PDB file of all heavy atoms in Angstrom:
ATOM      1  N   PRO S 218     -24.431 -14.224  35.604  1.00 96.00           N
ATOM      2  CA  PRO S 218     -23.873 -15.466  36.151  1.00 96.00           C
ATOM      3  C   PRO S 218     -23.017 -16.215  35.131  1.00 96.00           C
ATOM      4  O   PRO S 218     -22.194 -17.047  35.503  1.00 96.00           O
ATOM      5  CB  PRO S 218     -25.114 -16.276  36.525  1.00 96.00           C
ATOM      6  CG  PRO S 218     -26.186 -15.764  35.612  1.00 96.00           C
ATOM      7  CD  PRO S 218     -25.891 -14.317  35.402  1.00 96.00           C
ATOM      8  N   VAL S 219     -23.212 -15.903  33.858  1.00 97.00           N
ATOM      9  CA  VAL S 219     -22.415 -16.508  32.794  1.00 97.00           C
ATOM     10  C   VAL S 219     -21.754 -15.382  32.007  1.00 97.00           C
ATOM     11  O   VAL S 219     -22.425 -14.451  31.549  1.00 97.00           O
ATOM     12  CB  VAL S 219     -23.276 -17.373  31.851  1.00 97.00           C
ATOM     13  CG1 VAL S 219     -22.405 -17.960  30.728  1.00 97.00           C
ATOM     14  CG2 VAL S 219     -23.964 -18.480  32.616  1.00 97.00           C
ATOM     15  N   ARG S 220     -20.441 -15.453  31.865  1.00 96.00           N
ATOM     16  CA  ARG S 220     -19.695 -14.409  31.170  1.00 96.00           C
ATOM     17  C   ARG S 220     -18.742 -15.081  30.180  1.00 96.00           C
ATOM     18  O   ARG S 220     -17.970 -15.958  30.562  1.00 96.00           O
ATOM     19  CB  ARG S 220     -18.908 -13.541  32.160  1.00 96.00           C
ATOM     20  CG  ARG S 220     -19.784 -12.988  33.280  1.00 96.00           C
ATOM     21  CD  ARG S 220     -18.979 -12.207  34.290  1.00 96.00           C
ATOM     22  NE  ARG S 220     -19.825 -11.737  35.388  1.00 96.00           N
ATOM     23  CZ  ARG S 220     -19.522 -10.717  36.177  1.00 96.00           C
ATOM     24  NH1 ARG S 220     -18.376 -10.063  36.016  1.00 96.00           N
ATOM     25  NH2 ARG S 220     -20.341 -10.337  37.147  1.00 96.00           N
ATOM     26  N   VAL S 221     -18.795 -14.657  28.940  1.00 95.00           N
ATOM     27  CA  VAL S 221     -17.947 -15.261  27.915  1.00 95.00           C
ATOM     28  C   VAL S 221     -17.192 -14.161  27.173  1.00 95.00           C
ATOM     29  O   VAL S 221     -17.656 -13.028  27.057  1.00 95.00           O
ATOM     30  CB  VAL S 221     -18.774 -16.111  26.923  1.00 95.00           C
ATOM     31  CG1 VAL S 221     -19.419 -17.283  27.640  1.00 95.00           C
ATOM     32  CG2 VAL S 221     -19.835 -15.278  26.228  1.00 95.00           C
ATOM     33  N   GLY S 222     -16.018 -14.501  26.652  1.00 91.00           N
ATOM     34  CA  GLY S 222     -15.176 -13.519  25.999  1.00 91.00           C
ATOM     35  C   GLY S 222     -15.252 -13.535  24.494  1.00 91.00           C
ATOM     36  O   GLY S 222     -14.379 -12.981  23.823  1.00 91.00           O
ATOM     37  N   ASN S 223     -16.298 -14.150  23.945  1.00 92.00           N
ATOM     38  CA  ASN S 223     -16.465 -14.220  22.496  1.00 92.00           C
ATOM     39  C   ASN S 223     -17.946 -14.115  22.176  1.00 92.00           C
ATOM     40  O   ASN S 223     -18.754 -14.886  22.702  1.00 92.00           O
ATOM     41  CB  ASN S 223     -15.884 -15.542  21.970  1.00 92.00           C
ATOM     42  CG  ASN S 223     -15.971 -15.653  20.468  1.00 92.00           C
ATOM     43  OD1 ASN S 223     -17.051 -15.823  19.926  1.00 92.00           O
ATOM     44  ND2 ASN S 223     -14.831 -15.575  19.795  1.00 92.00           N
ATOM     45  N   SER S 224     -18.309 -13.175  21.313  1.00 94.00           N
ATOM     46  CA  SER S 224     -19.727 -12.948  21.055  1.00 94.00           C
ATOM     47  C   SER S 224     -20.363 -14.072  20.234  1.00 94.00           C
ATOM     48  O   SER S 224     -21.585 -14.231  20.243  1.00 94.00           O
ATOM     49  CB  SER S 224     -19.948 -11.604  20.353  1.00 94.00           C
ATOM     50  OG  SER S 224     -19.220 -11.514  19.157  1.00 94.00           O
ATOM     51  N   LEU S 225     -19.566 -14.879  19.536  1.00 95.00           N
ATOM     52  CA  LEU S 225     -20.131 -16.034  18.829  1.00 95.00           C
ATOM     53  C   LEU S 225     -20.545 -17.117  19.825  1.00 95.00           C
ATOM     54  O   LEU S 225     -21.575 -17.782  19.642  1.00 95.00           O
ATOM     55  CB  LEU S 225     -19.118 -16.587  17.831  1.00 95.00           C
ATOM     56  CG  LEU S 225     -18.696 -15.643  16.703  1.00 95.00           C
ATOM     57  CD1 LEU S 225     -17.670 -16.311  15.805  1.00 95.00           C
ATOM     58  CD2 LEU S 225     -19.909 -15.189  15.879  1.00 95.00           C
ATOM     59  N   VAL S 226     -19.752 -17.281  20.864  1.00 96.00           N
ATOM     60  CA  VAL S 226     -20.136 -18.222  21.931  1.00 96.00           C
ATOM     61  C   VAL S 226     -21.381 -17.703  22.645  1.00 96.00           C
ATOM     62  O   VAL S 226     -22.308 -18.469  22.950  1.00 96.00           O
ATOM     63  CB  VAL S 226     -18.972 -18.412  22.930  1.00 96.00           C
ATOM     64  CG1 VAL S 226     -19.403 -19.288  24.095  1.00 96.00           C
ATOM     65  CG2 VAL S 226     -17.766 -19.010  22.219  1.00 96.00           C
ATOM     66  N   LEU S 227     -21.408 -16.397  22.897  1.00 97.00           N
ATOM     67  CA  LEU S 227     -22.585 -15.792  23.537  1.00 97.00           C
ATOM     68  C   LEU S 227     -23.826 -16.027  22.684  1.00 97.00           C
ATOM     69  O   LEU S 227     -24.890 -16.405  23.187  1.00 97.00           O
ATOM     70  CB  LEU S 227     -22.340 -14.299  23.743  1.00 97.00           C
ATOM     71  CG  LEU S 227     -23.254 -13.552  24.728  1.00 97.00           C
ATOM     72  CD1 LEU S 227     -22.557 -12.295  25.233  1.00 97.00           C
ATOM     73  CD2 LEU S 227     -24.584 -13.178  24.088  1.00 97.00           C
ATOM     74  N   ARG S 228     -23.704 -15.811  21.380  1.00 97.00           N
ATOM     75  CA  ARG S 228     -24.827 -16.058  20.462  1.00 97.00           C
ATOM     76  C   ARG S 228     -25.331 -17.489  20.570  1.00 97.00           C
ATOM     77  O   ARG S 228     -26.547 -17.733  20.652  1.00 97.00           O
ATOM     78  CB  ARG S 228     -24.369 -15.775  19.033  1.00 97.00           C
ATOM     79  CG  ARG S 228     -25.383 -16.125  17.947  1.00 97.00           C
ATOM     80  CD  ARG S 228     -24.690 -16.345  16.609  1.00 97.00           C
ATOM     81  NE  ARG S 228     -23.772 -17.478  16.664  1.00 97.00           N
ATOM     82  CZ  ARG S 228     -22.900 -17.785  15.694  1.00 97.00           C
ATOM     83  NH1 ARG S 228     -22.814 -17.010  14.622  1.00 97.00           N
ATOM     84  NH2 ARG S 228     -22.116 -18.838  15.814  1.00 97.00           N
ATOM     85  N   ASP S 229     -24.405 -18.452  20.578  1.00 98.00           N
ATOM     86  CA  ASP S 229     -24.811 -19.853  20.607  1.00 98.00           C
ATOM     87  C   ASP S 229     -25.490 -20.215  21.928  1.00 98.00           C
ATOM     88  O   ASP S 229     -26.432 -21.022  21.950  1.00 98.00           O
ATOM     89  CB  ASP S 229     -23.590 -20.754  20.374  1.00 98.00           C
ATOM     90  CG  ASP S 229     -23.061 -20.640  18.947  1.00 98.00           C
ATOM     91  OD1 ASP S 229     -23.782 -20.110  18.083  1.00 98.00           O
ATOM     92  OD2 ASP S 229     -21.909 -21.077  18.718  1.00 98.00           O
TER      93      ASP S 229
END
Side-chain angles (χ1 to χ4, degrees):
V219 179
R220 307 177 183 202
V221 296
N223 182 289
S224 57
L225 297 179
V226 175
L227 197 157
R228 174 203 63 189
D229 291 345

